[in-house]
Amino acid sequence: SFLYLKRVKLDPNREVEEAALGDPTAILAWEEYHRFLARARSTVASVSGAGMLVDFHGHMHPAGLVELGYRLSASDLEQADAVLDADVGLLSKVS
């Protein structure tokens, strides 16, 4: 199960080629992880109409920092709220 695989063995946030490095067990874990996410998204969408998926994991920062990844650039985040709210293209970047 992907739940018991250490992150140094698999990075499921990357494409399978980079994430699993050709290892059959890691590829299987990557596929299982993404099937789980697809089922979770489908369930949330059917029950609530919308939801938010949050991926928490450490980066081993020496200062104990926490990073939030939105798949948005710094220039995206510097926009005024009204601009961000009106830009439907941003939604496809973060979902």
Side-chain angles (χ1 to χ4, degrees), residues 54-67:
V54 180
D55 175 20
F56 287 105
H57 55 84
H59 284 280
M60 302 296 292
H61 286 292
L65 301 174
V66 175
E67 294 181 13

Side-chain angles (χ1 to χ4, degrees), residues 5 17 21 23 31 37 42 49 51 59 63-64 72-73 77-78 81:
L5 193 58
E17 296 82 14
L21 299 174
D23 182 276
E31 290 170 346
L37 290 180
S42 177
H59 284 280
L72 298 175
S73 68
L77 295 173
E78 290 170 351
D81 288 347

Side-chain angles (χ1 to χ4, degrees), residues 1 3-4 13 15 18 30 36 40 44 46 49 58 60 72 75-76 83 88 91 94:
S1 171
L3 295 175
Y4 302 104
N13 294 329
E15 294 301 322
E18 183 180 358
W30 186 93
F36 173 82
V44 169
S46 67
M60 302 296 292
L72 298 175
S75 62
D76 289 333
V83 173
V88 295
L91 183 58
V94 299

